[in-house]
Amino acid sequence: MRGSEQTSAPWRVGVLFSQSGFMAVIEETQLRGTLTAIDEINAAGGINGRPIEPVIYDPGSEARAFGRCAKKLMIEDGVTTMFGCYTSSSRRAVLPVVERLNGLLWYPTLYEGFEFSPNVIYTGAAPNQNSVELCRLLMEMYGRRFFFIGSDYVYPRESNRIMRELVANSGGEVVGERYVRLSADRSEFQPLLREVKAAQPDVIFSTVVGDSTIFLYQTYHDMGFDPKVMPIASLTTTEAEIQAMGFDVGEGHVTAAPYFQGIDGARNSSFVQLYKKRYGEDQSTNMCLEAAYFQVHVFAKTLAETNSLDTEILRNTVMGSEYDAPQGNISVNPVCGHTDLWTRIGKANRQGQFDLVYESPSRVKADPYLIGYARNLAYA
């Protein structure tokens, strides 16, 4: 224990997830994962005899509000470490705040990669941990013609740029690419899916997020498309969105993620039981919730060692740290500040869960700039 300060005062941390607005469908589960971990740690005696105290704000699904809340946390509340953000727009709104004021953001969401900040620990999947394997599998199972549908902000456009290159390098073709408002309603997907029908792709690759995800899949279902022939494949559609849209609507569609509730293992079983005991038997875990949960435990493990919330000390100590997460053993990669995670691809079933169709043999090293992929391509 490095710190020498003797006090019983709580360790105060910031928590920034939307509890209202169109992103609450998934961010509410990340908040739950965060609080579940904090309560678990506090019930075991806290960190070095001191409880973790969350200071929680609801940015209401508005990207700029995340930046304002982060500033309030650091300047008014005196918080230096925070857990939060789902969209890349919200992360980018918080980024200049934590960089300028030297805070530390723990970001538990998959994203488009091609970013590094000394003030962020990235615990969601980078493109080499989901997109690369998903593209390969979709081509093998369904075909080479892709139609992209995304929400109109940073993450979908950048993820589609990456997927377009992956498809092209594998001899495939993107036959359409369309974007909808972040808060798009159901009516906006009807003309879009008529366009899909005319283009006759083999796969729809969706980077739609939030409530609009539900409307996309429901419209697809209502128009009589068959996921056995032309599924919607996604990096963002989790058990939470499947529950909201209806299990019958989600059945047969494909998601790439480090974690699904149904994976085997005693660690995951205990995690799922803990979550359901707290929130109800009908509530499912998901990849975003799991990352929000395990990153608090990684933080706690580091804090126990350092006994300090100083950003430099925490960040330097957490590099290379390992943790037995529900998805399997993970590690914070010291080269890039991203997390070495598992790659899995699942197909949604009638129970609202995912049946695995692919699982990496071990955790996959984070490569947010796809350097390894480019190197392999050059030697191919």
Side-chain angles (χ1 to χ4, degrees):
M1 188 164 47
R2 299 181 187 178
S4 57
E5 183 183 8
Q6 297 297 315
T7 177
S8 60
W11 303 101
R12 300 179 84 227
V13 298
V15 179
L16 291 178
F17 294 112
S18 298
Q19 301 167 60
S20 58
F22 54 86
M23 292 308 306
V25 65
I26 186 66
E27 291 190 44
E28 177 71 33
T29 72
Q30 292 180 299
L31 174 62
R32 288 179 173 187
T34 302
L35 296 181
T36 298
I38 289 174
D39 287 352
E40 194 177 22
I41 292 160
N42 288 343
I47 304 300
N48 299 334
R50 300 166 60 183
I52 299 174
E53 179 185 305
V55 182
I56 303 169
Y57 289 115
D58 173 15
S61 302
E62 183 194 342
R64 285 177 294 181
F66 277 85
R68 292 194 297 268
C69 290
K71 191 173 181 180
K72 186 175 182 182
L73 280 169
M74 295 200 68
I75 293 176
E76 296 181 23
D77 299 312
V79 166
T80 54
T81 289
M82 62 190 78
F83 305 95
C85 302
Y86 176 89
T87 68
S88 287
S89 300
S90 63
R91 185 192 71 253
R92 289 188 177 192
V94 169
L95 204 56
V97 178
V98 293
E99 289 183 340
R100 186 169 65 250
L101 300 175
N102 198 27
L104 189 62
L105 170 67
W106 298 71
Y107 179 59
T109 311
L110 70 150
Y111 87 115
E112 66 278 1
F114 294 86
E115 181 179 290
F116 168 82
S117 172
N119 297 89
V120 181
I121 304 297
Y122 304 80
T123 60
N128 77 297
Q129 296 165 317
N130 53 21
S131 297
V132 172
E133 208 59 55
L134 180 62
C135 179
R136 180 194 64 78
L137 182 136
L138 291 173
M139 286 198 167
E140 285 182 4
M141 292 181 65
Y142 299 102
R144 297 178 175 271
R145 293 168 57 82
F146 284 61
F147 196 109
F148 293 170
I149 302 176
S151 298
D152 195 3
Y153 75 105
V154 176
Y155 165 74
R157 288 189 176 272
E158 287 300 302
S159 286
N160 284 341
R161 177 184 63 79
I162 292 166
M163 185 60 83
R164 190 183 308 111
E165 290 188 21
L166 296 175
V167 169
N169 291 337
S170 301
E173 178 186 6
V174 178
V175 297
E177 183 172 349
R178 296 290 180 268
Y179 295 90
V180 295
R181 297 178 303 123
L182 261 170
S183 54
D185 60 36
R186 197 161 175 169
S187 66
E188 295 174 55
F189 289 103
Q190 292 168 352
L192 199 155
L193 284 170
R194 284 195 289 269
E195 191 175 339
V196 170
K197 189 173 185 178
Q200 296 186 313
D202 298 309
V203 175
I204 297 171
F205 177 60
S206 169
T207 47
V208 176
V209 300
D211 287 344
S212 297
T213 305
I214 300 158
F215 304 140
L216 166 63
Y217 285 70
Q218 287 176 338
T219 306
Y220 172 105
H221 185 263
D222 290 347
M223 292 180 68
F225 290 113
D226 184 355
K228 292 187 181 72
V229 178
M230 182 195 68
I232 300 174
S234 176
L235 308 173
T236 54
T237 302
T238 75
E239 291 89 341
E241 289 87 355
I242 297 289
Q243 182 171 14
M245 71 181 66
F247 297 165
D248 58 327
V249 173
E251 184 181 15
H253 295 295
V254 179
T255 293
Y259 170 87
F260 297 107
Q261 177 178 287
I263 63 175
D264 293 331
R267 179 67 182 95
N268 183 47
S269 295
S270 64
F271 168 60
V272 172
Q273 287 172 11
L274 175 70
Y275 184 76
K276 287 181 177 291
K277 183 177 180 181
R278 182 180 175 118
Y279 292 105
E281 284 297 320
D282 63 334
Q283 297 299 303
S284 291
T285 56
N286 64 66
M287 62 169 155
C288 299
L289 184 164
E290 189 255 0
Y293 170 83
F294 83 64
Q295 70 177 14
V296 175
H297 278 285
V298 173
F299 158 77
K301 179 182 174 184
T302 309
L303 182 59
E305 182 180 344
T306 63
N307 203 43
S308 171
L309 284 172
D310 180 275
T311 294
E312 301 298 332
I313 295 172
L314 270 180
R315 181 180 172 82
N316 289 339
T317 306
V318 79
M319 291 302 163
S321 179
E322 296 195 10
Y323 180 69
D324 184 21
Q327 67 176 265
N329 186 265
I330 59 90
S331 176
V332 180
N333 193 308
V335 174
C336 58
H338 291 60
T339 307
D340 298 342
L341 304 167
W342 294 71
T343 296
R344 294 181 171 96
I345 299 171
K347 186 184 293 185
N349 60 33
R350 185 55 73 105
Q351 288 72 48
Q353 300 300 315
F354 286 87
D355 298 322
L356 285 184
V357 294
Y358 173 82
E359 181 176 45
S360 59
S362 61
R363 68 190 185 204
V364 177
K365 283 190 175 182
D367 183 12
Y369 290 89
L370 289 173
I371 294 168
Y373 173 79
R375 186 182 297 123
N376 291 338
L377 200 64
Y379 289 122

